[in-house]
Amino acid sequence: ISMPSQSSEKWINGAAMMNTLLTDNHFQVLVEFAEDDPRQQIGQLKEFIEQDVDCLIVAPVPSADLTEVLEQAKEKEIPVISYDRLIMDTDAVDYYAGFDNLQAGRQIGEYIVQEKNLEKTSSDGKSKTYTIEFFMGDPQDYSAKMVHQGIMEVLKPYLDAGTLVCKSGRTKFEDTA
């Protein structure tokens, strides 16, 4: 298992969950964290390939070009599972395991609507407004783009109506990543 970093509970918990599930099913598991360094992740993957592992589960470091190293895995017939972040521009990825990031974004938006009672605020004719600013993930992370899209699907009507006010004006993904 190759994870981007230990700086996020997301990656720590994901690695721990997979490690438990796999070891409970009698697999030997090796876990490495690249600490957001593309070269380090490539080096770790090369070591896994040299050890002739049975499978690679890779959550790629954003902006890492894994094409060459994953081609080596393909040549050795080591299956590759892209985890959470889809690895693009290679046919060496056999499977993708991820989340419905669009739905996750919608749920974040719905939470904001519910917590601030925006439906009532927008429909009761009163001029109550709430300030909001958006801070999204890495511009290279496809998942972050999908989360943003889901959030905006839910919140755009409230932004358009003026119920939510983004004082910076930065609502596009490119401006908030």
Side-chain angles (χ1 to χ4, degrees):
I1 300 172
S2 176
M3 293 295 210
S5 75
Q6 294 182 82
S7 64
S8 168
E9 283 190 46
K10 172 183 180 174
W11 304 123
I12 295 167
N13 293 340
M17 180 253 333
M18 286 187 278
N19 188 17
T20 299
L21 288 170
L22 291 168
T23 55
D24 285 354
N25 285 284
H26 311 290
F27 290 94
Q28 292 181 339
V29 180
L30 303 170
V31 179
E32 292 286 348
F33 292 90
E35 301 315 327
D36 290 323
D37 181 344
R39 289 183 304 233
Q40 185 170 333
Q41 186 168 47
I42 290 167
Q44 291 168 347
L45 290 170
K46 284 181 179 179
E47 287 180 33
F48 285 152
I49 293 166
E50 287 171 10
Q51 294 175 37
D52 204 25
V53 297
D54 293 317
C55 181
L56 291 171
I57 300 172
V58 183
V61 171
S63 74
D65 183 0
L66 303 179
T67 307
E68 185 179 313
V69 71
L70 294 182
E71 188 59 38
Q72 294 171 17
K74 182 179 176 181
E75 288 171 8
K76 289 187 89 171
E77 298 182 356
I78 298 172
V80 175
I81 301 170
S82 179
Y83 173 71
D84 189 56
R85 296 175 172 163
L86 183 59
I87 300 170
M88 307 291 285
D89 303 323
T90 180
D91 65 352
V93 174
D94 298 285
Y95 303 97
Y96 171 66
F99 305 92
D100 186 344
N101 292 300
L102 186 63
Q103 183 60 25
R106 289 179 186 133
Q107 290 175 329
I108 292 167
E110 290 165 2
Y111 176 80
I112 293 168
V113 169
Q114 179 182 355
E115 286 300 305
K116 292 300 178 185
N117 203 11
L118 296 182
E119 288 178 346
K120 183 176 184 208
T121 301
S122 293
S123 65
D124 67 6
K126 296 182 181 174
S127 60
K128 182 149 179 100
T129 62
Y130 296 94
T131 301
I132 189 167
E133 291 294 336
F134 298 93
F135 299 93
M136 303 310 299
D138 188 301
Q140 301 299 314
D141 183 354
Y142 182 74
S143 300
K145 292 175 186 175
M146 296 305 295
V147 169
H148 176 266
Q149 183 179 335
I151 290 170
M152 295 313 281
E153 281 180 13
V154 174
L155 297 185
K156 189 171 182 336
Y158 301 102
L159 288 161
D160 290 347
T163 306
L164 287 177
V165 178
C166 179
K167 290 185 179 183
S168 71
R170 296 178 182 164
T171 58
K172 294 181 182 174
F173 178 77
E174 297 77 21
D175 298 331
T176 61

